[in-house]
Amino acid sequence: MDWDHVNPFVQTITPQPEDIDGLKHTNNAVYVRWCEQIGWAHSHRLGLTLDDYHRLDRAMAIRRSEYDYLLATNLGEPLTLATWLTGGDGKIAMERRFQLIRDRDGMTVLRGRWDLVCIEISSGRVRRMPAEFLDAYVPIA
């Protein structure tokens, strides 16, 4: 597949009946949910889970998100979703990118981007990333 960045973390996805809207294609909100799911799966692969976030009282929260919906997808259509950590300041912020490709023709149907900021869960205030975050996330960004 023609990925925007090297070494993607990927998941295969097939739209189910509950993902399809009144226009008979995958609802845009479903793409957002899929991005959240692959983001967590990638974080788990890198060694950080929601339990770790709570233990550390820190989380990477979405400060800004952008999605470009390029083409429609349909019920039962095989898709491959990829994500990458593409940047960060090594202190409080990092960026995650997404790309969704339609398997049958290799066309990109969605691109997304999150700007993430580290927060203290208990207060919601911006805080520096703990060492565990830096060890897991920064080497690949």
Side-chain angles (χ1 to χ4, degrees):
M1 295 193 172
D2 188 17
W3 297 116
D4 292 342
H5 305 279
V6 297
N7 301 318
F9 177 82
V10 299
Q11 290 184 334
T12 57
I13 297 172
T14 304
Q16 301 301 305
E18 61 272 14
D19 300 326
I20 305 303
D21 63 18
L23 300 176
K24 303 213 184 295
H25 64 245
T26 307
N27 187 282
N28 290 358
V30 172
Y31 295 129
V32 174
R33 179 172 40 100
W34 289 343
C35 288
E36 179 186 15
Q37 290 169 345
I38 196 173
W40 275 116
H42 188 218
S43 184
H44 287 197
R45 173 68 58 88
L46 295 173
L48 289 171
T49 67
L50 187 57
D51 289 339
D52 295 315
Y53 276 32
H54 287 289
R55 176 178 54 78
L56 297 165
D57 193 28
R58 295 291 185 276
M60 295 308 298
I62 301 169
R63 176 172 34 195
R64 178 187 165 110
S65 61
E66 295 177 10
Y67 299 94
D68 295 319
Y69 304 97
L70 305 170
L71 296 168
T73 62
N74 301 300
L75 178 66
E77 186 168 43
L79 309 169
T80 303
L81 179 60
T83 190
W84 303 263
L85 293 173
T86 57
D89 64 7
K91 297 174 186 169
I92 64 166
M94 65 183 191
E95 179 183 77
R96 180 177 287 284
R97 297 265 179 164
F98 303 93
Q99 183 180 3
L100 182 63
I101 290 181
R102 192 168 51 201
D103 291 2
R104 70 176 160 85
D105 60 6
M107 296 296 294
T108 296
V109 299
L110 171 104
R111 283 191 176 90
R113 182 175 73 87
W114 291 351
D115 289 333
L116 300 156
V117 64
C118 186
I119 62 164
E120 181 179 60
I121 296 170
S122 59
S123 71
R125 293 188 183 128
V126 173
R127 295 286 189 247
R128 288 184 74 92
M129 284 187 252
E132 290 91 335
F133 282 30
L134 295 172
D135 292 343
Y137 294 142
V138 173
I140 63 167

